[in-house]
Amino acid sequence: METRKVFRPYVIAIGCWVLSFILALKLGSVSDVDFSVVTALRLPRAILATAVGMALAIAGASLQALFSNPLCEPYTLGISSGSALGAVIGFSLGLQWMVSGLALTAFIGAIIFMGILYFFSRRTDTGSGNLSLLLIGVMLGFLGSSMVALCLAVTDSQGLQGIMSWLLGDLSRARLAGSSLSLVSVLLLSFAVWNHRKDLDALLMGEETAVTLGVNVNHARRRIIFLSAMLIAVSVSAAGMIGFVGLVVPHFVRKMVGSLHQKMIPLCAIWGATVLVLADMAARVVARPFELPVGAVTAVIGAPFCLWVIARRRTVE
Amino acid sequence: MRFAAPNLIVPSLWGALFFLAISGPVSAREIIDATGTHVQVVDHPNRIVTLVPSLGELASDFLGLDLQRIVGVSESTDYPPALKKVESVGQYQRLSLEKILSLKPDLVLATEDGNFKDQINHLRELGVPVVVLSTQTFSEIEDSMKKVALALGESDESKKLIARFEQGIADLRARGAKRQAKKKILLELDDDPLVVVGGKSFLNEAIALVGAENVYGDSSSGYPRPSHEDVMKKNPDMVLVATFGESANEPLYLQRAQSWARYPDLKAVQTRQVKVIYGNPLLRPSMRLLEGLALLEKAIYGNS
């Protein structure tokens, strides 16, 4: 009886993911399903959506613990934007020889932006829902996207074809091999984050509590920054900037199972995957036969949600 | 050891049979496209998909009455009018690969300068025969016509059409070369932001061909976005506003032409040389380009 209760949230989450995956294979921009379309295009896309959704939700949950602020996630903090800048620079330097070339520069961009964010967060009171962290993030986002625009203006535009749709978050480039590689790396990184679950729990309660709990705060922080930057780099280099998955998913998972990362991390992974698989399906179906960038779909749902969270915090205070 | 020989023979026999089955009566030809890729195309493609409007037009030129062989076109392919009813595979820079694949094409025609390289590569990885064409210069346009004709498996009739096109170009070129005073032209494609024809476009060559000069001919880009200040400095003799619609009389384009009156110091404005030109036959490199060039010549130099 006890074990059944423990496993119930996982079973429900995995069930939903399986359903969304099947739905994503069934529905798309053409209605008469052809087997070759399913295996060649929809399957790699659904796998990539799974990987990227997982990565974003876990990165969001880790950032929220790191800054002990529930409004954190890669997109709103501008880290996705830094990562995209890294990828664009990598692209214009001709590093697209492999998925990993772009992922490397995307990682460098993400870690630099995260460093800047961290530096400023130490100088201002940014904990527990404080909005100044979000403001720093918005500024970093502007900085990143304007530098991307600058890069696009000075480099040969032929080589950067299609980059605008990629910047808006786009899974249409998914290939089976690349998607599977992304999924494997995200699973490994997620496991690494899960290994730091105790540190995350302690950090969420604030730095002083973490120290009294015997956590080496600086060490734990560095590891978590590194791992989240890796997760963001994998997702941005594969699918561009997709916002708000990392905000919405951890929020609801926390509502369901509480804020212990033992359960949070795996559930965020599965729900993040489910949400992005469904969002990408919507992106393909809504404007048939045209496809929307999936980032537009997640932003339409996520941005009002973010506002709602802010408004609620204000009334509580 | 006695069994070793048959063990090898049986699989190799099957292998040979399989090889015969797949290589059997090969009814495909190899076409080397503008990207240098060797593309295997069936002799008589019956399920053709075109990924830019100009290639829809060009394929139709060669197919004549056989238009039902085109099963998919890019959005805003509107000429010949019969192509409006053909299924759309999306905008040329945002194609739906699902749609293309579900049409099971045996020939896809794309352009190097219009479509995205990644989407072309993606289609090729999925086994779709994509012939990519380049149309940045007139020699590339003539070459792309030959390649499209070859890919469609049309020979005699298309050879005549191409010969007629080449002759038409040669005639225009001869007339253009005789022009003494070359007018300086600005060819506007969009006004917000201002997009004009630059050096790396066949339209730059088109302006030169009819005996005029493109004020942005030295631009290293195909379609630069100059500031109005820079346009004042270049001070063209004539501004041509190209339309992207059914006719040259749409109010949108007339308004665009009128809005140049904001710059009364421009020579083109002072001499009332801001005109609207019907863009469709000019901007899309197909057989209709001859008609478009005639319109361009007429707009610049009148009927003389």
Short mmCIF file of all heavy atoms in Angstrom, two decimals, chain A residues 27-30 32 34 36-37 40-42 45 158 161-163 165 170 172-175 284 289-293, chain B residues 75 88-91 93-99 101-102 104 112-119 121-122 125-126 136:
data_model
loop_
_atom_site.label_atom_id
_atom_site.label_comp_id
_atom_site.label_asym_id
_atom_site.label_seq_id
_atom_site.Cartn_x
_atom_site.Cartn_y
_atom_site.Cartn_z
N LEU A 27 -0.46 13.37 -34.53
CA LEU A 27 -0.94 14.63 -35.08
C LEU A 27 0.20 15.47 -35.62
O LEU A 27 1.32 15.42 -35.11
CB LEU A 27 -1.67 15.43 -34.00
CG LEU A 27 -2.93 14.79 -33.43
CD1 LEU A 27 -3.43 15.61 -32.26
CD2 LEU A 27 -4.00 14.67 -34.49
N GLY A 28 -0.09 16.25 -36.64
CA GLY A 28 0.94 17.11 -37.19
C GLY A 28 0.35 18.02 -38.24
O GLY A 28 -0.86 18.20 -38.29
N SER A 29 1.23 18.56 -39.10
CA SER A 29 0.72 19.51 -40.07
C SER A 29 -0.03 18.83 -41.22
O SER A 29 -0.70 19.48 -41.99
CB SER A 29 1.85 20.40 -40.60
OG SER A 29 2.95 19.62 -40.93
N VAL A 30 0.13 17.52 -41.37
CA VAL A 30 -0.72 16.80 -42.33
C VAL A 30 -1.59 15.83 -41.56
O VAL A 30 -1.15 15.22 -40.58
CB VAL A 30 0.10 16.04 -43.39
CG1 VAL A 30 0.33 16.91 -44.59
CG2 VAL A 30 1.40 15.53 -42.86
N ASP A 32 -3.50 13.06 -42.91
CA ASP A 32 -3.43 11.65 -43.29
C ASP A 32 -2.03 11.12 -42.98
O ASP A 32 -1.07 11.43 -43.64
CB ASP A 32 -3.77 11.45 -44.78
CG ASP A 32 -3.09 12.49 -45.64
OD1 ASP A 32 -2.67 13.52 -45.10
OD2 ASP A 32 -2.97 12.25 -46.86
N ASP A 34 1.22 9.18 -42.66
CA ASP A 34 2.00 8.27 -43.47
C ASP A 34 3.13 7.78 -42.60
O ASP A 34 3.75 8.56 -41.87
CB ASP A 34 2.54 9.04 -44.68
CG ASP A 34 3.11 8.10 -45.71
OD1 ASP A 34 2.32 7.58 -46.50
OD2 ASP A 34 4.34 7.89 -45.70
N SER A 36 6.19 6.95 -43.13
CA SER A 36 7.51 7.56 -43.31
C SER A 36 7.58 8.93 -42.66
O SER A 36 8.60 9.32 -42.11
CB SER A 36 7.84 7.65 -44.80
OG SER A 36 6.98 8.57 -45.42
N VAL A 37 6.45 9.66 -42.70
CA VAL A 37 6.42 10.98 -42.06
C VAL A 37 6.61 10.82 -40.56
O VAL A 37 7.36 11.56 -39.91
CB VAL A 37 5.08 11.69 -42.36
CG1 VAL A 37 4.96 12.96 -41.54
CG2 VAL A 37 4.97 12.01 -43.83
N ALA A 40 10.33 9.50 -39.87
CA ALA A 40 11.42 10.37 -40.32
C ALA A 40 11.37 11.75 -39.68
O ALA A 40 12.41 12.35 -39.43
CB ALA A 40 11.39 10.51 -41.83
N LEU A 41 10.17 12.24 -39.40
CA LEU A 41 10.09 13.62 -38.91
C LEU A 41 9.52 13.74 -37.50
O LEU A 41 10.07 14.43 -36.66
CB LEU A 41 9.24 14.45 -39.87
CG LEU A 41 9.84 14.69 -41.25
CD1 LEU A 41 8.80 15.28 -42.18
CD2 LEU A 41 11.04 15.61 -41.16
N ARG A 42 8.41 13.04 -37.24
CA ARG A 42 7.76 13.27 -35.95
C ARG A 42 8.50 12.59 -34.80
O ARG A 42 8.58 13.15 -33.71
CB ARG A 42 6.31 12.79 -36.00
CG ARG A 42 5.48 13.68 -36.90
CD ARG A 42 4.03 13.30 -36.88
NE ARG A 42 3.34 14.00 -37.95
CZ ARG A 42 2.11 13.71 -38.33
NH1 ARG A 42 1.44 12.73 -37.74
NH2 ARG A 42 1.54 14.38 -39.30
N ARG A 45 11.54 14.58 -33.65
CA ARG A 45 11.05 15.81 -33.02
C ARG A 45 10.54 15.54 -31.63
O ARG A 45 10.82 16.30 -30.69
CB ARG A 45 9.90 16.37 -33.85
CG ARG A 45 10.29 17.61 -34.59
CD ARG A 45 9.13 18.11 -35.34
NE ARG A 45 8.72 19.39 -34.77
CZ ARG A 45 8.36 20.43 -35.51
NH1 ARG A 45 8.32 20.32 -36.81
NH2 ARG A 45 8.03 21.56 -34.95
N GLN A 158 24.18 34.55 -45.49
CA GLN A 158 23.92 33.26 -46.12
C GLN A 158 24.17 32.10 -45.15
O GLN A 158 23.43 31.14 -45.09
CB GLN A 158 24.83 33.06 -47.35
CG GLN A 158 24.39 33.80 -48.57
CD GLN A 158 23.16 33.20 -49.22
OE1 GLN A 158 22.04 33.58 -48.90
NE2 GLN A 158 23.34 32.24 -50.09
N GLN A 161 21.44 31.45 -42.32
CA GLN A 161 20.06 31.27 -42.78
C GLN A 161 19.22 30.55 -41.73
O GLN A 161 19.67 29.62 -41.10
CB GLN A 161 20.05 30.40 -44.03
CG GLN A 161 20.42 31.14 -45.28
CD GLN A 161 20.33 30.22 -46.47
OE1 GLN A 161 20.36 29.01 -46.33
NE2 GLN A 161 20.24 30.80 -47.63
N GLY A 162 18.02 30.99 -41.60
CA GLY A 162 17.09 30.26 -40.75
C GLY A 162 17.33 30.49 -39.28
O GLY A 162 16.68 29.88 -38.44
N ILE A 163 18.27 31.38 -38.95
CA ILE A 163 18.63 31.54 -37.55
C ILE A 163 17.51 32.24 -36.78
O ILE A 163 17.34 32.01 -35.59
CB ILE A 163 19.96 32.29 -37.43
CG1 ILE A 163 20.65 31.88 -36.14
CG2 ILE A 163 19.79 33.79 -37.49
CD1 ILE A 163 22.02 31.38 -36.34
N SER A 165 14.22 31.82 -36.99
CA SER A 165 13.22 30.88 -36.48
C SER A 165 13.82 30.02 -35.38
O SER A 165 13.15 29.66 -34.41
CB SER A 165 12.65 30.02 -37.60
OG SER A 165 13.63 29.16 -38.10
N ASP A 170 12.76 26.36 -31.98
CA ASP A 170 12.27 25.60 -33.12
C ASP A 170 12.83 24.18 -33.04
O ASP A 170 14.03 23.99 -32.92
CB ASP A 170 12.77 26.30 -34.39
CG ASP A 170 12.18 25.68 -35.64
OD1 ASP A 170 11.30 24.82 -35.49
OD2 ASP A 170 12.60 26.06 -36.74
N SER A 172 12.13 21.91 -35.47
CA SER A 172 11.94 21.27 -36.76
C SER A 172 13.23 20.74 -37.35
O SER A 172 13.22 20.01 -38.32
CB SER A 172 11.28 22.24 -37.74
OG SER A 172 12.20 23.24 -38.10
N ARG A 173 14.38 21.12 -36.77
CA ARG A 173 15.63 20.64 -37.33
C ARG A 173 16.02 19.26 -36.81
O ARG A 173 17.09 18.75 -37.14
CB ARG A 173 16.76 21.61 -36.99
CG ARG A 173 16.58 22.93 -37.67
CD ARG A 173 17.43 23.99 -37.05
NE ARG A 173 17.42 25.13 -37.92
CZ ARG A 173 18.50 25.63 -38.52
NH1 ARG A 173 19.67 25.10 -38.29
NH2 ARG A 173 18.41 26.62 -39.34
N ALA A 174 15.18 18.70 -35.96
CA ALA A 174 15.55 17.45 -35.27
C ALA A 174 15.85 16.31 -36.24
O ALA A 174 15.12 16.07 -37.19
CB ALA A 174 14.41 17.04 -34.35
N ARG A 175 16.99 15.65 -36.02
CA ARG A 175 17.33 14.42 -36.73
C ARG A 175 17.43 13.32 -35.68
O ARG A 175 17.75 13.59 -34.52
CB ARG A 175 18.67 14.52 -37.43
CG ARG A 175 18.92 15.80 -38.17
CD ARG A 175 18.09 15.84 -39.44
NE ARG A 175 18.80 16.58 -40.48
CZ ARG A 175 18.73 17.90 -40.64
NH1 ARG A 175 18.01 18.62 -39.84
NH2 ARG A 175 19.39 18.48 -41.62
N ARG A 284 2.65 22.48 -34.35
CA ARG A 284 2.52 21.92 -35.70
C ARG A 284 1.07 21.89 -36.16
O ARG A 284 0.79 21.89 -37.35
CB ARG A 284 3.08 20.50 -35.73
CG ARG A 284 4.59 20.49 -35.83
CD ARG A 284 5.11 19.09 -35.79
NE ARG A 284 4.81 18.47 -34.51
CZ ARG A 284 4.56 17.18 -34.36
NH1 ARG A 284 4.53 16.39 -35.39
NH2 ARG A 284 4.33 16.68 -33.17
N PRO A 289 -1.24 24.12 -42.86
CA PRO A 289 -0.07 23.25 -42.83
C PRO A 289 1.18 23.98 -42.39
O PRO A 289 2.27 23.45 -42.52
CB PRO A 289 0.04 22.82 -44.29
CG PRO A 289 -0.44 24.00 -45.06
CD PRO A 289 -1.49 24.65 -44.20
N PHE A 290 1.05 25.20 -41.90
CA PHE A 290 2.24 25.92 -41.46
C PHE A 290 2.59 25.52 -40.04
O PHE A 290 1.74 25.13 -39.27
CB PHE A 290 2.00 27.43 -41.54
CG PHE A 290 1.59 27.87 -42.91
CD1 PHE A 290 0.29 28.23 -43.16
CD2 PHE A 290 2.50 27.85 -43.94
CE1 PHE A 290 -0.11 28.60 -44.44
CE2 PHE A 290 2.11 28.22 -45.21
CZ PHE A 290 0.80 28.59 -45.46
N GLU A 291 3.88 25.67 -39.74
CA GLU A 291 4.32 25.34 -38.39
C GLU A 291 4.76 26.60 -37.67
O GLU A 291 5.40 27.46 -38.25
CB GLU A 291 5.48 24.35 -38.46
CG GLU A 291 5.03 23.01 -38.99
CD GLU A 291 6.18 22.06 -39.22
OE1 GLU A 291 7.33 22.42 -38.91
OE2 GLU A 291 5.93 20.96 -39.70
N LEU A 292 4.37 26.72 -36.42
CA LEU A 292 4.80 27.86 -35.62
C LEU A 292 6.08 27.47 -34.89
O LEU A 292 6.32 26.30 -34.65
CB LEU A 292 3.74 28.21 -34.58
CG LEU A 292 2.34 28.53 -35.05
CD1 LEU A 292 1.43 28.71 -33.86
CD2 LEU A 292 2.38 29.80 -35.88
N PRO A 293 6.89 28.47 -34.50
CA PRO A 293 8.00 28.12 -33.61
C PRO A 293 7.45 27.74 -32.24
O PRO A 293 6.55 28.43 -31.74
CB PRO A 293 8.83 29.40 -33.55
CG PRO A 293 8.01 30.47 -34.14
CD PRO A 293 6.88 29.87 -34.90
N GLU B 75 3.97 28.55 -50.84
CA GLU B 75 2.93 29.56 -50.66
C GLU B 75 3.17 30.74 -51.61
O GLU B 75 4.30 31.05 -51.95
CB GLU B 75 2.98 30.03 -49.20
CG GLU B 75 1.80 30.84 -48.73
CD GLU B 75 0.52 30.05 -48.67
OE1 GLU B 75 0.57 28.80 -48.72
OE2 GLU B 75 -0.54 30.67 -48.59
N SER B 88 -0.31 23.63 -50.95
CA SER B 88 0.83 24.44 -50.52
C SER B 88 1.69 23.66 -49.53
O SER B 88 1.17 22.91 -48.69
CB SER B 88 0.30 25.72 -49.86
OG SER B 88 1.31 26.31 -49.08
N VAL B 89 3.01 23.84 -49.65
CA VAL B 89 3.91 23.18 -48.70
C VAL B 89 4.53 24.21 -47.74
O VAL B 89 5.51 23.93 -47.07
CB VAL B 89 5.02 22.38 -49.41
CG1 VAL B 89 4.43 21.24 -50.21
CG2 VAL B 89 5.86 23.28 -50.31
N GLY B 90 3.94 25.40 -47.70
CA GLY B 90 4.44 26.41 -46.76
C GLY B 90 5.24 27.50 -47.45
O GLY B 90 5.50 27.43 -48.65
N GLN B 91 5.61 28.53 -46.68
CA GLN B 91 6.41 29.62 -47.25
C GLN B 91 7.80 29.12 -47.57
O GLN B 91 8.30 28.22 -46.90
CB GLN B 91 6.50 30.77 -46.24
CG GLN B 91 5.23 31.56 -46.13
CD GLN B 91 4.97 32.03 -44.72
OE1 GLN B 91 5.69 31.68 -43.81
NE2 GLN B 91 3.91 32.81 -44.56
N GLN B 93 10.68 29.97 -46.93
CA GLN B 93 11.68 29.88 -45.88
C GLN B 93 11.15 29.22 -44.63
O GLN B 93 11.82 29.18 -43.60
CB GLN B 93 12.23 31.28 -45.56
CG GLN B 93 13.00 31.82 -46.75
CD GLN B 93 13.88 32.99 -46.42
OE1 GLN B 93 13.53 33.81 -45.61
NE2 GLN B 93 15.03 33.06 -47.07
N ARG B 94 9.93 28.73 -44.68
CA ARG B 94 9.37 27.99 -43.56
C ARG B 94 8.52 26.87 -44.09
O ARG B 94 7.32 26.84 -43.94
CB ARG B 94 8.53 28.93 -42.68
CG ARG B 94 9.09 29.02 -41.28
CD ARG B 94 8.16 29.59 -40.28
NE ARG B 94 7.99 28.66 -39.16
CZ ARG B 94 8.95 28.35 -38.32
NH1 ARG B 94 10.14 28.85 -38.45
NH2 ARG B 94 8.73 27.52 -37.34
N LEU B 95 9.20 25.94 -44.74
CA LEU B 95 8.50 24.85 -45.40
C LEU B 95 8.06 23.82 -44.39
O LEU B 95 8.73 23.60 -43.38
CB LEU B 95 9.43 24.21 -46.42
CG LEU B 95 9.94 25.14 -47.51
CD1 LEU B 95 11.17 24.55 -48.16
CD2 LEU B 95 8.84 25.38 -48.53
N SER B 96 6.93 23.17 -44.67
CA SER B 96 6.50 22.07 -43.82
C SER B 96 7.06 20.78 -44.41
O SER B 96 6.60 20.29 -45.45
CB SER B 96 4.98 22.01 -43.76
OG SER B 96 4.60 20.77 -43.23
N LEU B 97 8.09 20.25 -43.77
CA LEU B 97 8.70 19.02 -44.28
C LEU B 97 7.71 17.86 -44.24
O LEU B 97 7.71 16.99 -45.10
CB LEU B 97 9.95 18.67 -43.46
CG LEU B 97 11.09 19.69 -43.50
CD1 LEU B 97 12.32 19.15 -42.80
CD2 LEU B 97 11.45 20.08 -44.91
N GLU B 98 6.84 17.88 -43.22
CA GLU B 98 5.81 16.84 -43.12
C GLU B 98 4.95 16.83 -44.37
O GLU B 98 4.64 15.79 -44.94
CB GLU B 98 4.91 17.08 -41.91
CG GLU B 98 5.56 16.75 -40.59
CD GLU B 98 4.56 16.70 -39.43
OE1 GLU B 98 3.34 16.84 -39.67
OE2 GLU B 98 5.00 16.50 -38.29
N LYS B 99 4.55 18.03 -44.79
CA LYS B 99 3.68 18.16 -45.96
C LYS B 99 4.41 17.66 -47.21
O LYS B 99 3.86 16.90 -48.00
CB LYS B 99 3.29 19.64 -46.12
CG LYS B 99 2.25 19.90 -47.16
CD LYS B 99 0.87 19.68 -46.62
CE LYS B 99 -0.03 19.16 -47.72
NZ LYS B 99 -1.35 18.81 -47.19
N LEU B 101 6.95 15.60 -47.48
CA LEU B 101 7.18 14.15 -47.44
C LEU B 101 5.89 13.39 -47.70
O LEU B 101 5.89 12.36 -48.38
CB LEU B 101 7.75 13.79 -46.07
CG LEU B 101 8.76 12.64 -46.05
CD1 LEU B 101 9.95 12.97 -46.92
CD2 LEU B 101 9.21 12.37 -44.62
N SER B 102 4.76 13.92 -47.18
CA SER B 102 3.51 13.19 -47.35
C SER B 102 3.02 13.24 -48.79
O SER B 102 2.19 12.43 -49.20
CB SER B 102 2.44 13.76 -46.41
OG SER B 102 2.05 15.03 -46.87
N LYS B 104 4.91 12.54 -51.20
CA LYS B 104 5.75 11.53 -51.85
C LYS B 104 6.31 12.01 -53.19
O LYS B 104 6.05 11.42 -54.25
CB LYS B 104 4.96 10.23 -52.09
CG LYS B 104 4.43 9.58 -50.83
CD LYS B 104 3.84 8.24 -51.21
CE LYS B 104 3.03 7.62 -50.09
NZ LYS B 104 3.69 7.57 -48.81
N GLU B 112 19.05 27.89 -54.27
CA GLU B 112 20.13 28.06 -53.30
C GLU B 112 19.95 29.36 -52.53
O GLU B 112 20.20 29.41 -51.33
CB GLU B 112 21.46 28.09 -54.07
CG GLU B 112 22.65 27.84 -53.20
CD GLU B 112 23.94 27.83 -54.00
OE1 GLU B 112 23.94 28.27 -55.16
OE2 GLU B 112 24.95 27.37 -53.45
N ASP B 113 19.47 30.41 -53.21
CA ASP B 113 19.38 31.71 -52.56
C ASP B 113 18.06 31.91 -51.82
O ASP B 113 17.97 32.76 -50.95
CB ASP B 113 19.60 32.86 -53.57
CG ASP B 113 19.53 32.40 -55.01
OD1 ASP B 113 20.35 31.53 -55.36
OD2 ASP B 113 18.67 32.88 -55.76
N GLY B 114 17.03 31.11 -52.15
CA GLY B 114 15.74 31.32 -51.51
C GLY B 114 15.48 30.40 -50.34
O GLY B 114 15.08 30.84 -49.27
N ASN B 115 15.71 29.11 -50.51
CA ASN B 115 15.36 28.14 -49.48
C ASN B 115 16.51 27.95 -48.49
O ASN B 115 17.66 28.26 -48.80
CB ASN B 115 15.00 26.79 -50.11
CG ASN B 115 13.87 26.91 -51.10
OD1 ASN B 115 14.05 26.66 -52.28
ND2 ASN B 115 12.72 27.30 -50.63
N PHE B 116 16.18 27.45 -47.31
CA PHE B 116 17.20 27.24 -46.29
C PHE B 116 17.96 25.95 -46.53
O PHE B 116 17.37 24.89 -46.76
CB PHE B 116 16.56 27.22 -44.90
CG PHE B 116 16.11 28.56 -44.43
CD1 PHE B 116 15.11 28.69 -43.50
CD2 PHE B 116 16.71 29.72 -44.92
CE1 PHE B 116 14.69 29.93 -43.07
CE2 PHE B 116 16.31 30.96 -44.50
CZ PHE B 116 15.30 31.07 -43.57
N LYS B 117 19.28 26.08 -46.42
CA LYS B 117 20.16 24.94 -46.67
C LYS B 117 19.82 23.76 -45.76
O LYS B 117 19.81 22.62 -46.19
CB LYS B 117 21.61 25.39 -46.42
CG LYS B 117 22.63 24.61 -47.20
CD LYS B 117 24.03 25.00 -46.78
CE LYS B 117 24.54 26.21 -47.54
NZ LYS B 117 25.86 26.65 -47.07
N ASP B 118 19.50 24.08 -44.51
CA ASP B 118 19.25 23.00 -43.56
C ASP B 118 18.02 22.20 -43.96
O ASP B 118 18.00 20.98 -43.84
CB ASP B 118 19.07 23.57 -42.14
CG ASP B 118 18.91 22.46 -41.12
OD1 ASP B 118 19.90 21.77 -40.87
OD2 ASP B 118 17.79 22.26 -40.62
N GLN B 119 16.98 22.89 -44.45
CA GLN B 119 15.76 22.16 -44.83
C GLN B 119 16.01 21.30 -46.07
O GLN B 119 15.50 20.19 -46.18
CB GLN B 119 14.61 23.14 -45.05
CG GLN B 119 14.15 23.77 -43.74
CD GLN B 119 12.74 24.31 -43.80
OE1 GLN B 119 12.42 25.10 -44.66
NE2 GLN B 119 11.89 23.89 -42.87
N ASN B 121 18.96 19.99 -46.93
CA ASN B 121 19.75 18.84 -46.48
C ASN B 121 18.88 17.82 -45.76
O ASN B 121 19.05 16.62 -45.93
CB ASN B 121 20.87 19.30 -45.54
CG ASN B 121 21.94 20.07 -46.28
OD1 ASN B 121 22.02 19.99 -47.51
ND2 ASN B 121 22.74 20.82 -45.56
N HIS B 122 17.95 18.33 -44.96
CA HIS B 122 17.06 17.45 -44.22
C HIS B 122 16.25 16.57 -45.18
O HIS B 122 16.16 15.36 -45.01
CB HIS B 122 16.13 18.30 -43.35
CG HIS B 122 15.59 17.58 -42.15
ND1 HIS B 122 15.14 18.24 -41.05
CD2 HIS B 122 15.43 16.28 -41.87
CE1 HIS B 122 14.72 17.36 -40.15
NE2 HIS B 122 14.88 16.16 -40.64
N GLU B 125 18.49 13.96 -46.68
CA GLU B 125 18.77 12.88 -45.74
C GLU B 125 17.61 11.90 -45.69
O GLU B 125 17.79 10.72 -45.40
CB GLU B 125 19.00 13.45 -44.33
CG GLU B 125 20.36 14.10 -44.15
CD GLU B 125 20.39 14.98 -42.91
OE1 GLU B 125 19.68 14.68 -41.94
OE2 GLU B 125 21.15 15.98 -42.93
N LEU B 126 16.40 12.39 -45.95
CA LEU B 126 15.22 11.52 -45.90
C LEU B 126 14.98 10.84 -47.24
O LEU B 126 13.96 10.19 -47.45
CB LEU B 126 13.99 12.34 -45.49
CG LEU B 126 14.09 13.01 -44.11
CD1 LEU B 126 12.91 13.92 -43.86
CD2 LEU B 126 14.18 11.96 -43.01
N GLN B 136 21.31 33.77 -59.32
CA GLN B 136 21.82 35.09 -58.95
C GLN B 136 22.31 35.91 -60.14
O GLN B 136 22.45 37.12 -60.04
CB GLN B 136 22.93 34.97 -57.92
CG GLN B 136 22.38 34.69 -56.53
CD GLN B 136 23.44 34.76 -55.46
OE1 GLN B 136 24.50 35.34 -55.67
NE2 GLN B 136 23.16 34.17 -54.33
#
